[in-house]
Amino acid sequence: MTIVFASHNEKKASEIRSVLPQGITLLTLADLNYHQEIPEDEPTIEGNSAFKAQWIFKEFGMPCFADDTGLEVDALDGAPGVHSARYASIQRSDEANMDKLLSELGPGMHREAQFKTVITYCYAQKQVQFTGIVRGKISEDKRGDQGFGYDPIFIADDAHLTFAQMTLEQKNNYSHRARAMKQFLSFLTDLA
Ligand code: IMP
């Protein structure tokens, strides 16, 4: 089967492709020559995820899914959360976002945090969501150059490397996205 991934983020697409079984073909928005930005103005991660999937489903009428992700820091009452992409500024700079987060976590503050991904799948006028969470902590500084986003400052529970110090396969062993994808793929298998 062929499914559209409603995202312009090629790094996310690579992570998703790496866990897809044979028999599922992923089309990204670039494959469909769709370069328009999808609005992400909903107040929750669940809402943004649903909006993106519905938007692209309406555009192409093909089974499609979206992923919306947030980094939720306990000591900051869950911030940056749904505002993770534009935490430091509207420009969506990963470096500025991480710098802001590191500067807000002062000495002695708890550093526990979690990544949360919500995948929404739209198909045949139906919609279903899957949530993947990984608990961990924010490192003292940026480490590693793999991955994207906040990967250089997140250390999953039971890991000693940041996500940016891991290979894609290692990150998949822990990640919020891989966990949400596992549920989604099992749903697709049951549907078949
Ligand atoms: P979105 O889901 O693309 O809207 O991402 C929200 C924010 O979280 C952006 O700043 C992303 O770079 C960041 N982000 C999303 N997924 C990950 C991840 O797997 N690791 C690190 N940062 C991520």
Side-chain angles (χ1 to χ4, degrees), residues 104-139:
E104 294 208 341
L105 285 180
M109 282 175 73
H110 288 290
R111 306 187 77 85
E112 287 82 5
Q114 64 183 28
F115 267 121
K116 174 172 149 182
T117 285
V118 176
I119 286 177
T120 304
Y121 179 48
C122 286
Y123 66 108
Q125 311 300 335
K126 293 184 192 155
Q127 176 178 303
V128 58
Q129 291 195 313
F130 308 94
T131 302
I133 288 177
V134 56
R135 295 279 311 164
K137 64 175 190 287
I138 304 301
S139 57

Coordinates of all heavy atoms in Angstrom, one line a residue, residues 104-139:
E104 N 17.1 28.3 30.4 CA 16.0 28.3 31.4 C 16.1 27.3 32.5 O 15.5 27.4 33.5 CB 14.7 28.1 30.6 CG 14.5 29.3 29.7 CD 13.0 29.6 29.4 OE1 12.2 28.7 29.6 OE2 12.8 30.7 29.0
L105 N 16.9 26.2 32.2 CA 17.1 25.2 33.3 C 18.3 25.6 34.1 O 19.5 25.1 33.8 CB 17.3 23.8 32.6 CG 16.0 23.2 32.1 CD1 16.3 21.8 31.5 CD2 15.0 23.0 33.2
G106 N 18.1 26.4 35.1 CA 19.2 26.9 35.9 C 19.8 25.8 36.8 O 19.3 24.7 36.9
P107 N 20.9 26.1 37.5 CA 21.6 25.1 38.4 C 20.6 24.6 39.5 O 19.8 25.4 40.0 CB 22.7 25.9 39.1 CG 22.8 27.2 38.2 CD 21.5 27.4 37.5
G108 N 20.6 23.3 39.7 CA 19.8 22.7 40.7 C 18.4 22.4 40.3 O 17.6 21.8 41.1
M109 N 18.0 22.8 39.1 CA 16.6 22.5 38.7 C 16.5 21.1 38.2 O 17.5 20.6 37.6 CB 16.2 23.5 37.5 CG 15.8 24.9 38.0 SD 15.5 26.0 36.7 CE 13.9 25.5 36.1
H110 N 15.3 20.5 38.3 CA 15.1 19.2 37.8 C 15.2 19.2 36.3 O 14.7 20.1 35.7 CB 13.8 18.6 38.3 CG 13.8 18.3 39.7 ND1 14.4 17.2 40.3 CD2 13.1 18.9 40.8 CE1 14.3 17.2 41.6 NE2 13.5 18.2 41.9
R111 N 15.8 18.2 35.7 CA 16.0 18.2 34.3 C 15.2 17.1 33.6 O 15.3 16.9 32.3 CB 17.5 18.0 33.9 CG 18.4 19.0 34.6 CD 19.8 18.9 34.2 NE 20.0 19.6 32.9 CZ 20.3 20.9 32.7 NH1 20.3 21.7 33.7 NH2 20.5 21.4 31.5
E112 N 14.2 16.5 34.3 CA 13.4 15.4 33.7 C 12.5 16.0 32.6 O 12.0 17.1 32.8 CB 12.5 14.7 34.7 CG 13.3 13.8 35.7 CD 14.0 14.5 36.8 OE1 13.8 15.7 36.9 OE2 14.7 13.8 37.6
A113 N 12.3 15.2 31.5 CA 11.5 15.7 30.4 C 11.0 14.5 29.6 O 11.4 13.4 29.9 CB 12.4 16.6 29.5
Q114 N 10.2 14.8 28.7 CA 9.7 13.7 27.8 C 9.5 14.3 26.4 O 9.1 15.4 26.2 CB 8.5 13.0 28.3 CG 7.2 13.9 28.3 CD 6.1 13.1 28.9 OE1 6.2 12.2 29.8 NE2 4.9 13.5 28.5
F115 N 9.7 13.4 25.4 CA 9.3 13.7 24.0 C 8.0 13.0 23.8 O 7.8 11.8 24.2 CB 10.3 13.1 23.0 CG 11.3 14.0 22.5 CD1 12.7 13.7 22.7 CD2 11.0 15.2 21.9 CE1 13.7 14.6 22.3 CE2 12.0 16.1 21.4 CZ 13.3 15.8 21.6
K116 N 7.0 13.7 23.2 CA 5.7 13.1 22.9 C 5.4 13.3 21.4 O 5.5 14.4 20.9 CB 4.6 13.8 23.7 CG 3.2 13.3 23.4 CD 2.3 13.9 24.5 CE 0.9 14.2 23.9 NZ 0.0 14.8 24.9
T117 N 5.1 12.2 20.7 CA 4.7 12.3 19.3 C 3.3 11.8 19.2 O 3.0 10.7 19.8 CB 5.6 11.4 18.5 OG1 6.9 12.0 18.3 CG2 5.0 11.1 17.1
V118 N 2.5 12.5 18.5 CA 1.1 12.0 18.2 C 1.0 11.9 16.7 O 1.3 12.8 15.9 CB 0.0 13.0 18.7 CG1 -1.3 12.5 18.3 CG2 0.1 13.1 20.2
I119 N 0.8 10.6 16.2 CA 0.6 10.3 14.8 C -0.9 10.3 14.6 O -1.7 9.6 15.3 CB 1.2 9.0 14.4 CG1 2.7 9.2 14.4 CG2 0.7 8.5 13.1 CD1 3.5 7.9 14.1
T120 N -1.4 11.0 13.6 CA -2.8 10.9 13.1 C -2.8 10.3 11.8 O -2.1 10.7 10.8 CB -3.5 12.3 13.1 OG1 -3.3 12.9 14.3 CG2 -4.9 12.2 12.7
Y121 N -3.7 9.2 11.6 CA -3.8 8.6 10.3 C -5.2 8.9 9.8 O -6.2 8.6 10.5 CB -3.6 7.1 10.5 CG -3.8 6.3 9.2 CD1 -3.2 6.7 8.0 CD2 -4.5 5.1 9.2 CE1 -3.3 5.9 6.9 CE2 -4.7 4.3 8.1 CZ -4.0 4.7 6.9 OH -4.2 4.0 5.8
C122 N -5.3 9.4 8.6 CA -6.6 9.7 8.0 C -6.8 8.8 6.8 O -5.9 8.7 5.9 CB -6.7 11.1 7.4 SG -6.9 12.4 8.7
Y123 N -7.9 8.1 6.8 CA -8.1 7.1 5.6 C -9.6 7.0 5.5 O -10.4 6.9 6.5 CB -7.5 5.8 5.9 CG -8.1 5.0 7.1 CD1 -8.9 3.9 6.9 CD2 -7.9 5.5 8.4 CE1 -9.4 3.2 7.9 CE2 -8.4 4.8 9.5 CZ -9.2 3.7 9.2 OH -9.8 3.0 10.3
A124 N -10.1 6.9 4.3 CA -11.5 6.6 4.0 C -12.5 7.4 5.0 O -13.4 6.8 5.6 CB -11.8 5.1 4.1
Q125 N -12.3 8.7 5.1 CA -13.1 9.5 6.0 C -13.0 9.1 7.5 O -13.8 9.6 8.3 CB -14.6 9.5 5.6 CG -14.8 9.7 4.1 CD -14.3 11.1 3.6 OE1 -14.2 12.0 4.4 NE2 -14.0 11.2 2.4
K126 N -12.0 8.3 7.8 CA -11.9 8.0 9.3 C -10.6 8.5 9.8 O -9.7 8.8 9.0 CB -11.9 6.5 9.5 CG -13.2 5.8 9.1 CD -13.1 4.3 9.5 CE -14.3 3.6 8.9 NZ -14.1 2.2 8.6
Q127 N -10.4 8.6 11.1 CA -9.2 9.2 11.7 C -8.9 8.4 13.0 O -9.8 8.2 13.8 CB -9.5 10.7 12.0 CG -8.3 11.3 12.7 CD -8.6 12.8 12.9 OE1 -8.9 13.5 12.0 NE2 -8.6 13.2 14.1
V128 N -7.6 8.2 13.2 CA -7.2 7.5 14.4 C -5.8 8.0 14.8 O -5.0 8.5 14.0 CB -7.1 5.9 14.1 CG1 -6.2 5.6 13.0 CG2 -6.8 5.2 15.3
Q129 N -5.6 8.1 16.1 CA -4.3 8.7 16.6 C -3.5 7.6 17.5 O -4.1 6.8 18.2 CB -4.6 9.9 17.5 CG -5.1 11.1 16.7 CD -5.1 12.4 17.4 OE1 -5.5 12.5 18.6 NE2 -4.6 13.4 16.8
F130 N -2.2 7.8 17.5 CA -1.3 6.9 18.2 C -0.3 7.8 18.9 O 0.3 8.7 18.3 CB -0.6 6.0 17.3 CG -1.5 5.2 16.4 CD1 -1.8 5.7 15.1 CD2 -2.2 4.1 16.9 CE1 -2.7 5.0 14.3 CE2 -3.1 3.4 16.1 CZ -3.4 3.9 14.8
T131 N 0.0 7.6 20.2 CA 0.9 8.4 20.9 C 2.1 7.6 21.4 O 2.0 6.5 21.9 CB 0.2 9.0 22.2 OG1 -1.0 9.7 21.8 CG2 1.1 9.9 23.0
G132 N 3.3 8.2 21.2 CA 4.5 7.6 21.6 C 5.2 8.6 22.6 O 5.4 9.8 22.2
I133 N 5.7 8.1 23.7 CA 6.4 9.0 24.7 C 7.7 8.3 25.1 O 7.7 7.1 25.3 CB 5.4 9.2 25.9 CG1 4.3 10.1 25.6 CG2 6.2 9.7 27.1 CD1 3.3 10.3 26.7
V134 N 8.7 9.1 25.2 CA 10.0 8.6 25.8 C 10.3 9.6 26.9 O 10.4 10.8 26.7 CB 11.1 8.4 24.8 CG1 11.4 9.7 24.0 CG2 12.4 7.9 25.5
R135 N 10.6 9.0 28.1 CA 11.0 9.9 29.3 C 12.5 9.9 29.3 O 13.2 9.0 28.8 CB 10.5 9.2 30.6 CG 9.1 9.2 30.8 CD 8.4 10.4 31.3 NE 9.1 11.0 32.4 CZ 8.9 12.3 32.8 NH1 8.1 13.1 32.1 NH2 9.5 12.8 33.9
G136 N 13.1 11.0 29.8 CA 14.5 11.2 29.9 C 14.8 12.4 30.6 O 14.1 12.9 31.4
K137 N 16.0 13.0 30.2 CA 16.4 14.3 30.9 C 17.1 15.2 29.9 O 17.7 14.7 28.9 CB 17.2 14.0 32.1 CG 18.5 13.4 31.9 CD 19.3 13.4 33.2 CE 20.7 12.9 33.1 NZ 20.9 11.5 32.8
I138 N 17.1 16.5 30.2 CA 17.9 17.4 29.4 C 19.3 17.5 29.8 O 19.6 17.6 31.0 CB 17.2 18.8 29.5 CG1 15.7 18.8 29.2 CG2 18.0 19.9 28.6 CD1 15.4 18.3 27.8
S139 N 20.2 17.3 28.9 CA 21.7 17.3 29.2 C 22.1 18.7 29.6 O 21.4 19.7 29.4 CB 22.5 16.8 28.0 OG 22.2 17.5 26.9

